[in-house]
Amino acid sequence: MLEIRHLRTLSALRSSGSLVRAAQLLNLTQSALSHQIRLLEERYNAPLFERKSMPIAFTATGSRLLALADKLLPEIEQAERDVARLSQGDKGQLRVALECHTCFDWLMPVMDAFRQRWPEVEIDLVSGFHSEPADLLRSGEADLVIGAPYGPDFAVFPLFRFEIMVVMAQKHRLQAQRRLVAQDFAGETLITYPVAEQRVDLIRDVLRPAGIDFERRTADLTVAVLQLVASRRGIAALPNWAIKNYVDYDYVVARPIGEQGLWSDLFVSVQPALQDKAYVHDFVSVIREQCAASLDGIKLLS
């Protein structure tokens, strides 16, 4: 029997572009998702999409079910939000603080989509640079922080894992290397945001444990960091999504760190009083959905 979850599966496949990402988006294992698709195909005696096509190309059968999903799922999701408004009230606010400065690149479209879903909820960014965003939660100046998980005092929702890449100027001495290790950074100037060393993954997890000496310079904005890198003032370590366009246009060069890469996890932390609010859960869902569809190289956390 065709169920809502089947329509959500097809929609997730289309938006994420792969079985792996769709499974992450739906909080399923890849084998469970494949099993669900196989049962659907057996029911209709037809494939739903072309195997080994990138991006996923849906068959006529899959396209027809997607058309049904496009018609029904928005109505179901709207009804769920309406029921939540009736039970929890239709007013609220989300003052968002960022620990991850590069999140601005994808956060603005997320906030626009959220406003369309929850026009009654006032959502805004806490202005200014904040060296310790968790303090804003503790003082009540922010309702939600995107960054590291600030448990156990706050409710925490997982978002996704991303790779941190080293960026350097064209023809930098390290450009010829396939991957960088701690010793490669000796004597280099590392350009970072003006935050404590403990919050810089490369310093905390790679350089300090190896006892590497380096210089440090700071800049507030991602574009300023990249301009300094391109003008040979130093190197930087930034999320893969933040540097993609700059690398594609040969403005800078990027290299992974270590054999397994250097990865970081992103979370939403909220005040305990908000953890059961439907609009908070929906905000997290919008982030996961839009980032799974638009950011290359991320892995959704379960």
Side-chain angles (χ1 to χ4, degrees):
M1 183 176 181
L2 186 63
E3 301 176 19
I4 294 172
R5 64 190 178 100
H6 298 141
L7 300 180
R8 285 183 168 142
T9 291
L10 292 173
S11 182
L13 268 174
R14 180 179 58 189
S15 64
S16 63
S18 73
L19 283 169
V20 173
R21 282 196 173 190
Q24 294 173 341
L25 192 59
L26 296 166
N27 289 323
L28 295 173
T29 64
Q30 190 173 346
S31 60
L33 181 64
S34 297
H35 179 69
Q36 184 185 127
I37 292 170
R38 185 167 61 253
L39 291 178
L40 266 181
E41 291 180 327
E42 290 175 358
R43 170 180 173 79
Y44 295 109
N45 195 30
L48 298 177
F49 58 91
E50 302 292 341
R51 265 57 176 180
K52 299 182 180 179
S53 63
M54 290 297 290
I56 289 178
F58 288 89
T59 63
T61 302
S63 296
R64 180 61 186 89
L65 293 176
L66 268 174
L68 178 63
D70 290 339
K71 185 175 182 179
L72 290 183
L73 291 181
E75 290 293 327
I76 292 170
E77 292 165 359
Q78 184 61 55
E80 290 174 339
R81 288 192 290 271
D82 291 342
V83 170
R85 290 183 178 96
L86 291 171
S87 62
Q88 298 182 359
D90 61 356
K91 303 293 183 183
Q93 70 170 1
L94 276 180
R95 295 165 297 168
V96 179
L98 296 177
E99 178 183 356
C100 171
H101 297 71
T102 49
C103 293
F104 281 108
D105 291 348
W106 52 258
L107 184 58
M108 295 301 104
V110 165
M111 292 177 67
D112 290 340
F114 178 81
R115 287 188 181 100
Q116 292 179 6
R117 296 192 189 196
W118 295 89
E120 309 89 347
V121 176
E122 182 180 349
I123 183 169
D124 202 1
L125 287 171
V126 179
S127 61
F129 179 83
H130 308 285
S131 59
E132 293 294 340
D135 291 342
L136 299 175
L137 281 178
R138 297 186 181 96
S139 66
E141 297 174 73
D143 304 301
L144 180 151
V145 169
I146 298 174
Y150 293 121
D153 297 332
F154 306 101
V156 176
F157 300 90
L159 293 178
F160 54 83
R161 172 169 293 179
F162 58 91
E163 188 173 9
I164 297 171
M165 307 285 287
V166 172
V167 288
M168 62 191 78
Q170 294 286 347
K171 299 182 180 179
H172 189 278
R173 70 175 184 88
L174 297 174
Q175 180 177 348
Q177 298 194 198
R178 186 176 64 89
R179 291 178 176 272
L180 302 188
V181 296
Q183 289 71 24
D184 294 324
F185 295 89
E188 289 287 339
T189 296
L190 183 63
I191 304 169
T192 75
Y193 300 113
V195 299
E197 282 192 359
Q198 189 62 21
R199 286 176 49 199
V200 180
D201 300 74
L202 176 61
I203 297 176
R204 182 189 65 237
D205 299 335
V206 178
L207 302 184
R208 288 306 182 208
I212 302 300
D213 291 325
F214 60 93
E215 300 294 327
R216 187 183 178 198
R217 179 172 179 173
T218 63
D220 289 346
L221 302 175
T222 303
V223 64
V225 171
L226 288 165
Q227 285 175 345
L228 289 170
V229 168
S231 60
R232 302 183 180 278
R233 307 296 179 85
I235 60 178
L238 293 169
N240 48 8
W241 78 73
I243 62 174
K244 184 178 186 305
N245 289 338
Y246 297 92
V247 173
D248 289 347
Y249 286 99
D250 295 327
Y251 188 66
V252 292
V253 176
R255 294 290 182 268
I257 303 165
E259 284 303 314
Q260 304 301 319
L262 178 61
W263 294 80
S264 187
D265 295 343
L266 204 61
F267 297 82
V268 163
S269 299
V270 301
Q271 297 280 0
L274 297 176
Q275 63 181 320
D276 295 325
K277 292 291 187 181
Y279 60 79
V280 171
H281 288 262
D282 208 33
F283 183 64
V284 173
S285 295
V286 174
I287 293 176
R288 289 170 60 87
E289 290 167 7
Q290 293 217 359
C291 290
S294 62
L295 299 183
D296 292 331
I298 68 168
K299 301 176 181 179
L300 293 178
L301 298 172
S302 57

